[in-house]
Amino acid sequence: MRERIVILLILTLATAFFGEMKVNPFGSSFRFSLGSAVFFFGLIWFRTIPTVLTGLFTGLFILGFRVLIDIAMRETLWFDSLLSHLPAAFYYVTFALLVRILKIRSYMGVPIRAALFGAAIDFASNMVELLIRQLIGESLIITQEIVFMLLLFGILRSFCVVGLYNILTFQHMQALGEARRQELERLVMINASLYEEAFYLRKSMSHMEEITRKSYELYMRLMESEKVEPSTALYIAEHVHEVKKDSQRILAGLSELINQEQLDLRLPITELCDMVIRTNEKYAELLGKSIRFQKECDIDLSTNHVYALLSVLNNLVANAVEAIPSFGWVGLRVELERDEIVFYVTDSGPGIPEEDRDWIFQLGFTTKYDEHGNPSTGIGLTHAQEIVHSFKGRIQLTADEYGRTQFQVKIPSHQLF
């Protein structure tokens, strides 16, 4: 309620203010002004305010506002001023009443029809004002020229207002679309992280199953021996089994979340690459680096394996960002080669030393250390390699034609679609 009152007051004040930007074409108190255009726009834009009540309130306010101006300027007596501006109040009341009767707000999706209705309402309201001016004794004769001018101004004002309305509506929809795109992108990246965690959790469960089995085998062997107490082995087996069951419950929850998001999620490869680029532009900015990103993706294909590909590509591009000292560039290129989709990630960094190239995919190997000298876990490339292998693909470190570090990810196309 309070919000409606505020909108009503703002619209009324704006109409009164712009109503003073006027011309008097007939040499009387009748005027053409921007106030009627502002009033029309407010009625169709602010749909929560009551139309007829707004017209009545605006008409009365403008009547009082103009009388006060005349008194302040000492141009006429207050009663004469009241009679002079009373027809203008009828204009706004009639305008609002016709907007309500014709339900013009429901036609805003058809701009031409809405503009024509608006022009008709403007013309009819002006005619009402002129007729009232004649009734109160103004020497104003309605001629063909006056009717033509009323139609012309009505059409101009109406089409301008409806055009402005549609421009602002389009911009508003664009802003909403961009906000939704960013939200979807954020959710997809979160789910990509969940995919990574679920991937490693599933792998850990496999290891725990093997440890449980080996521990139980050790327990059985120790049971046959009289020299060793077997309870420790049994304790290990039981507790590893408990950890595995807890992990199973966590994995089930993660899998359900991921599967729910994957039901209808299918993205073009080029859009997926755009997401990787945008994410790492923010990452580079966070690290205080000036990095230019290049993307080449001319294939018109989509995939529903969004999270897996995001995990791989984001890992490779993020590594490239980290490898560049202060400024440089990172390239992401996608090509369709026979029956394989090939992703190329290239950067202008210093490259990987020859002696380290055979070890980069080994679990635990890293060349990255934090400010305290603690090494990274080294599971990034290992994780990427395992995901690629799960698609029957391969990942390898090569160099481009200029000798710069380049990772190639080759995946059979039928695995992604």
Side-chain angles (χ1 to χ4, degrees):
M1 183 64 182
R2 183 177 180 181
E3 182 182 353
R4 292 182 181 181
I5 294 174
V6 171
I7 293 174
L8 179 58
L9 288 174
I10 292 174
L11 177 57
T12 302
L13 290 171
T15 303
F17 175 78
F18 284 97
E20 296 307 308
M21 300 178 185
K22 63 183 190 262
V23 292
N24 300 91
F26 309 137
S28 67
S29 298
F30 181 86
R31 66 177 72 181
F32 286 122
S33 70
L34 291 177
S36 56
V38 172
F39 182 68
F40 182 29
F41 179 81
L43 289 181
I44 60 177
W45 184 263
F46 301 109
R47 301 195 173 203
T48 59
I49 57 177
T51 307
V52 178
L53 180 62
T54 302
L56 181 61
F57 184 79
T58 302
L60 292 175
F61 181 86
I62 286 178
L63 175 60
F65 180 74
R66 292 179 182 177
V67 168
L68 287 175
I69 291 179
D70 287 347
I71 293 174
M73 300 293 293
R74 297 181 180 179
E75 293 182 352
T76 182
L77 298 175
W78 72 269
F79 184 75
D80 293 335
S81 177
L82 184 68
L83 284 179
S84 176
H85 297 300
L86 182 62
F90 278 91
Y91 169 87
Y92 288 103
V93 174
T94 304
F95 198 107
L97 187 61
L98 290 175
V99 167
R100 174 66 181 275
I101 292 172
L102 294 178
K103 298 180 179 179
I104 193 172
R105 290 173 174 175
S106 62
Y107 296 107
M108 296 312 298
V110 188
I112 298 297
R113 183 180 298 180
L116 290 175
F117 278 171
I121 291 171
D122 190 285
F123 174 78
S125 301
N126 278 320
M127 288 299 296
V128 168
E129 180 179 348
L130 288 177
L131 289 173
I132 293 176
R133 288 189 182 279
Q134 285 186 334
L135 289 175
I136 63 176
E138 288 191 15
S139 57
L140 182 63
I141 301 175
I142 301 176
T143 63
Q144 289 183 349
E145 290 78 9
I146 289 177
V147 171
F148 176 76
M149 189 172 292
L150 292 178
L151 280 172
L152 179 61
F153 270 84
I155 290 171
L156 289 174
R157 285 193 295 205
S158 180
F159 273 81
C160 288
V161 168
V162 173
L164 178 62
Y165 174 89
N166 280 277
I167 290 172
L168 294 178
T169 300
F170 179 72
Q171 291 179 342
H172 180 65
M173 295 302 294
Q174 275 191 321
L176 285 178
E178 178 64 17
R180 288 173 181 172
R181 183 195 64 77
Q182 292 180 357
E183 181 63 16
L184 175 62
E185 186 172 312
R186 186 184 69 84
L187 291 174
V188 169
M189 295 306 297
I190 289 174
N191 278 290
S193 299
L194 289 176
Y195 177 88
E196 293 181 13
E197 301 303 324
F199 185 91
Y200 269 100
L201 189 56
R202 193 177 290 110
K203 181 179 177 182
S204 298
M205 285 173 56
S206 176
H207 290 166
M208 284 187 284
E209 182 68 30
E210 182 66 15
I211 293 170
T212 302
R213 188 176 63 82
K214 292 292 185 182
S215 297
Y216 190 74
E217 288 178 359
L218 177 61
Y219 166 72
M220 294 303 294
R221 291 177 184 175
L222 292 175
M223 285 287 291
E224 298 173 359
S225 173
E226 298 180 354
K227 298 181 180 180
V228 181
E229 173 59 44
S231 59
T232 302
L234 181 60
Y235 176 87
I236 294 173
E238 289 174 344
H239 283 74
V240 170
H241 184 66
E242 284 298 316
V243 173
K244 190 195 79 169
K245 287 195 295 184
D246 291 339
S247 299
Q248 280 179 325
R249 286 191 285 269
I250 297 172
L251 179 61
L254 287 175
S255 299
E256 183 178 355
L257 286 173
I258 295 171
N259 289 334
Q260 284 176 353
E261 294 294 332
Q262 283 181 324
L263 288 178
D264 300 317
L265 185 59
R266 184 176 182 84
L267 291 180
I269 295 293
T270 183
E271 186 174 336
L272 188 144
C273 292
D274 285 336
M275 292 175 63
V276 173
I277 295 298
R278 285 192 293 266
T279 300
N280 283 280
E281 283 176 340
K282 296 175 183 177
Y283 184 43
E285 185 179 349
L286 178 67
L287 296 179
K289 298 182 179 182
S290 176
I291 297 178
R292 179 168 51 90
F293 291 85
Q294 298 176 342
K295 188 205 77 172
E296 296 179 36
C297 181
D298 297 326
I299 61 174
D300 187 18
L301 296 172
S302 300
T303 179
N304 55 1
H305 297 284
V306 174
Y307 305 124
L309 280 179
L310 272 177
S311 296
V312 173
L313 296 178
N314 194 51
N315 189 286
L316 294 177
V317 176
N319 283 347
V321 170
E322 294 169 354
I324 294 173
S326 298
F327 59 89
W329 64 269
V330 175
L332 175 58
R333 180 163 52 96
V334 188
E335 294 181 357
L336 183 61
E337 298 180 0
R338 295 182 181 178
D339 59 344
E340 291 183 322
I341 303 290
V342 185
F343 300 89
Y344 297 91
V345 178
T346 314
D347 66 79
S348 60
I352 298 175
E354 190 68 34
E355 62 271 17
D356 292 338
R357 296 194 169 207
D358 294 333
W359 302 93
I360 58 172
F361 293 109
Q362 298 298 318
L363 184 63
F365 178 82
T366 183
T367 58
K368 293 181 287 187
Y369 298 85
D370 62 17
E371 63 273 15
H372 303 295
N374 299 315
S376 174
T377 58
I379 65 174
L381 287 176
T382 305
H383 167 66
Q385 185 183 54
E386 290 176 348
I387 293 179
V388 172
H389 287 172
S390 71
F391 288 111
K392 313 299 181 187
R394 57 195 185 280
I395 179 172
Q396 55 186 345
L397 173 63
T398 60
D400 66 1
E401 61 271 22
Y402 301 104
R404 294 171 297 208
T405 300
Q406 182 180 81
F407 280 92
Q408 292 184 16
V409 177
K410 299 184 178 181
I411 300 176
S413 56
H414 69 273
Q415 291 285 332
L416 297 179
F417 313 112

